[in-house]
Every structure is written in structure tokens, then in C-alpha cells.
């Protein structure tokens, strides 16, 4: 939660908000409050305001993003966790909470927000995560450290310990799913300040997803479950990929967050998963 600042007088709030508003920030006052609560000195505040006015994403300016009531550290150049992905984290936590000491794998973890949120919600999980981006891995190690998370750098499953095969109870993946032809349609903040590897999913957006799904059965425990965030219009094709991998697909949608998650489990482990 925001902490009090010694220089957060109404005049300072008004001045910061005015500068941000002039730069085109729609939620200038809200952003100003967050900066005032985060900055430790007037000079730091001034630098933050100028970076934001120059187009840097607010979360990169602050050094953190709020996700499931956690402050998730994000460095400049690291993918910022989206609020819609809280649905993925919530569903993963619900599944992990069904067994003591659940083994959770956060693949394409970025800053580690999903894994950190699951571990914060479910006591005693055994948390693993992996990402190909070195900067993301640095952040993920910080964010999952309180839960004893083990974070690996490399392409999908490649860097993971072989002993993890067949042990994963909850395998969660927020792989990139933007079709590369639609990258130009993303907001400038995402295009210019977040890594393409975290966004670009290939010609139809599902290239990385398919690789995650294809190999998932080798890593899942017998009653384990795969959860993949995807686009609403892409969900049928994501579900097809899950079925081709030999898993039973089910889809859950959160209208409030405009979020879609496709699940995959073995037929014998399907009880209790969302229907439809």
C-alpha cells in the first residue's frame, strides 16, 4: 500500500498531476499519488515525473506493479503484469490449494507475478519458474524469494531440473499470444518499453503456447493441471492444442477482467475443473 511521504502536500500533488496531465497521462492524479508515495526524496520524485512524462510505463517508473495486492518488482524493459492475469493466478491458486505442498511451475514467468501470487495465497507450495529473458529472471528471483522460489533462465522447459518431470501439480503459463502482425496495434508503452519476446506469439499468436502445451504432459503429475492464459478469440485453438497433447481442455472466462484461461488435465483428474 502507498506509504506517507514527507513531501506529499496538496501543492506537490497538484504540481505533479499537472505535469503528467500536460504529458497526456489520463490518470494523472492517481499516478501522482503513487509517485509521491514511492519517491524517497524530492530529486527522486522529479526524475520519476520526467521519466513518466517521457513515455516510460508507470510501473517501470515506480519500480513495481500491483498484482493480487502484492508489489511486484519490475525493471525497465521487463514485461509488466496485467490485471487480467490475476484471473490466471486466482485459478492456479485454487488448484494448488487442494493439495499439501503442491508443486507449482510458472512458465514464461516474466517478473514471476503469477508464481508469487500463488505462493502468497497457498501456504507451503514448492515453486519453480522459468523465463528466457535475463532481466525478467532477475525480477522473478526477487519476487519469488519470500516463497523460496527457484527461477531458471532459458527457453521454456529446457533449463528446468530433470527431477521435476512428472511432479508438477499446477503448470501455469502466460506465454506471449499477440499475433506478430498485430504488434503495431499495441499501445506505445508496450511496443517501445516491453520486450517483444514477452508479447509476440508468432503468425497466429499461439506459437509459444503450442510448444508449452505439447510438452506439458511430460512434466505434469498424474493428476496435475495445465493453465494457459489466451485471447478470447484464440481460446478454441488453444483448446485444440491442449486436446492434441492428450489432455482434456476446459475454458474459463472472467468478463470483469476480459480474461480467458484454458485448462488441460488428464481425464481422470478433471473433476472440479471449470466447465465450458
Amino acid at each position: 500500500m502507498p506509504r506517507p511521504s514527507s513531501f506529499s502536500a496538496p501543492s506537490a500533488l497538484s504540481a505533479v498531476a499537472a505535469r503528467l496531465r500536460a504529458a497526456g497521462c489520463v490518470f494523472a492524479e492517481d499516478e501522482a499519488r503513487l509517485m509521491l508515495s514511492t519517491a524517497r526524496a524530492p530529486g527522486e520524485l522529479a526524475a520519476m515525473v520526467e521519466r513518466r512524462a517521457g513515455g516510460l510505463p508507470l510501473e517501470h517508473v515506480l519500480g513495481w506493479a500491483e498484482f493480487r495486492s502484492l508489489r511486484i518488482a519490475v525493471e525497465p524493459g521487463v514485461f509488466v503484469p496485467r490485471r487480467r492475469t490475476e484471473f490466471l493466478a486466482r485459478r492456479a491458486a485454487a488448484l494448488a490449494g487442494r493439495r499439501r505442498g503442491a508443486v507449482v511451475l510458472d512458465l514464461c514467468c516474466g517478473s514471476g507475478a503469477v508464481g508469487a501470487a500463488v505462493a502468497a495465497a497457498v501456504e507451503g507450495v514448492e515453486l519453480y519458474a522459468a523465463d528466457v529473458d535475463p532481466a525478467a529472471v532477475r525480477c522473478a528471483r526477487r519476487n519469488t524469494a519470500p516463497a523460496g522460489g527457484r527461477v531458471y533462465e532459458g527457453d521454456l522447459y529446457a533449463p528446468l531440473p530433470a527431477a521435476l518431470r512428472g511432479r508438477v501439480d499446477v503448470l501455469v503459463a502466460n506465454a506471449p499470444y499477440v499475433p506478430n502482425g498485430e504488434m503495431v496495434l499495441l499501445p506505445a508503452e508496450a511496443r517501445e518499453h516491453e520486450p517483444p519476446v514477452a508479447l509476440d506469439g508468432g503468425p497466429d499468436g499461439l506459437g509459444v503456447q503450442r510448444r508449452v502445451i505439447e510438452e506439458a504432459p511430460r512434466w505434469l503429475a498424474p493428476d496435475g493441471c495445465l493453465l494457459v492464459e489466451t485471447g478470447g478469440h484464440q481460446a478454441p485453438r488453444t483448446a485444440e492444442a491442449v486436446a492434441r497433447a492428450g489432455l482434456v481442455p476446459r475454458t474459463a472466462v472472467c468478463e470483469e477482467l476480459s480474461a480467458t484461461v484454458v485448462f488441460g488435465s488428464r481425464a481422470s483428474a478433471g473433476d472440479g475443473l471449470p466447465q465450458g
Side-chain angles (χ1 to χ4, degrees), residues 80-230:
V80 175
R82 291 354 187 215
R83 184 161 180 260
R84 65 174 170 269
T85 305
E86 292 186 357
F87 182 58
L88 176 68
R90 187 167 77 236
R91 289 292 193 160
L95 290 170
R98 294 179 181 177
R99 69 172 53 216
R100 194 178 194 85
V103 176
V104 176
L105 172 58
D106 183 1
L107 208 57
C108 303
C109 70
S111 62
V114 173
V118 172
V122 182
E123 186 176 356
V125 301
E126 186 179 334
L127 178 60
Y128 298 84
D131 199 281
V132 71
D133 179 24
V137 168
R138 284 196 302 272
C139 289
R141 285 176 175 154
R142 289 173 58 190
N143 292 319
T144 63
R150 282 159 275 193
V151 185
Y152 300 86
E153 180 184 332
D155 183 38
L156 300 183
Y157 302 93
L160 297 172
L164 194 58
R165 285 177 181 259
R167 293 187 57 233
V168 178
D169 298 306
V170 178
L171 198 170
V172 59
N174 183 16
Y177 55 89
V178 179
N180 52 27
E182 296 179 17
M183 291 285 287
V184 295
L185 304 178
L186 292 174
E189 288 184 8
R191 291 197 318 270
E192 297 172 7
H193 298 288
E194 293 183 310
V197 71
L199 299 164
D200 190 340
D204 68 351
L206 304 182
V208 182
Q209 272 191 19
R210 291 190 184 96
R211 293 176 56 212
V212 169
I213 293 166
E214 182 179 7
E215 198 171 341
R218 301 184 185 95
W219 295 85
L220 287 173
D223 57 351
C225 185
L226 168 70
L227 300 87
V228 180
E229 179 175 298
T230 194

Side-chain angles (χ1 to χ4, degrees), residues 205-268:
L206 304 182
V208 182
Q209 272 191 19
R210 291 190 184 96
R211 293 176 56 212
V212 169
I213 293 166
E214 182 179 7
E215 198 171 341
R218 301 184 185 95
W219 295 85
L220 287 173
D223 57 351
C225 185
L226 168 70
L227 300 87
V228 180
E229 179 175 298
T230 194
H233 66 290
Q234 295 163 309
R237 283 174 290 159
T238 302
E240 288 173 7
V242 169
R244 283 196 300 272
L247 301 174
V248 178
R250 292 184 175 88
T251 300
V253 176
C254 177
E255 299 290 350
E256 178 188 358
L257 298 178
S258 299
T260 302
V261 172
V262 173
F263 297 71
S265 65
R266 295 182 173 87
S268 60

